[in-house]
Amino acid sequence: MDFSIEPEMMEIPLFGGIEVSETLVSAVLASFLIIIFAAIVRIFFIPKFKIIPSRFQLLLEMSVDAIYSYTSSKVGQWASKTLSPYMFTVALIIIVNGIFELFGMRAAMTDINFTLALSLITFVLIQVYSIKKKGILKRLKSVFEPVFLLAPINIVTSIAVPVSLSCRMFGNILGGMIVMELLYSVAILKWAIPGVLAIYFTVFHTLMQAFIFITLSLTFINEGLE
Amino acid sequence: MDTGLIAIAAGIAVFTAVGAGVGMGFATGKIAEAISRQPEASGKIMTAMFIGFGLAESTAIYGFVIAIMLFAKV
């Protein structure tokens, strides 16, 4: 067994050597891949869109429509207009990072900084949308509901949201990674078996966590809107 | 001495998986009931099932993460 919870550090030979972690490299690489793909789609495919769609156009339109309808079924029409692009982005980043694990890189979700950053964004979104919808006074008043004495519990509940979101994703992906590392460390199980089990422990876990993350974020945001 | 105590602590931390297992078992039973009663709603039931599983699983995962963190110190 050779794994650690802390990702390995490596040095980039720029400006006299910058220390970065392995997970940061894979996160940046995933972002680059997504940006390049988006740029290619934007430059070469979107100007060619027709009224009678081609296969690729149909795929894009269906995925955009699916994420819009899913978001608006959770948070309603008003918030889904701005939220669904963000949620789609988050899901895409999580999925692409998870797929990286199949190629032997360490997924960015096995670093608690990544998941904590995503869930802190969710926390900020909850507050922003709640204040935007209800106004700052009503938002402050909702802390003291239903009874004045329950204010500490309400505050702890809202702080628990980012903690639980980040720990869930981190633990789940790390668990999958550790199981795979254990498999690789046993001599008999090294051959062919990881290829089958990676479908569950890497691909399925990642898809599941991406889905759960966006669903729970939308649910919490909807709670703040009411 | 310390190493053994840490290993025991890691074992106890993983004990949280019991709760998740019981909870997921109950949930699966109810889901089977719901689908057999109303097979046309199985899509919605499945979505709710995955979210519920994610939530139920998380308690087990908290214990697991703590166990791994303890185990790293052995």
Side-chain angles (χ1 to χ4, degrees), chain A residues 1 5 164 167-168 170-172 175 178 208 211-212 215, chain B residues 47 50-51 54-55 57-58 61-62 64-65 68-69 71:
Chain A
M1 268 197 310
I5 301 169
S164 81
C167 281
R168 176 178 299 121
F170 169 69
N172 215 320
I178 286 169
M208 208 58 242
F211 179 67
I212 286 173
T215 308
Chain B
T47 318
F50 279 127
I51 298 165
L55 285 171
E57 226 180 15
S58 61
I61 288 165
Y62 298 154
F64 172 74
V65 169
I68 293 286
M69 281 172 175
F71 193 69

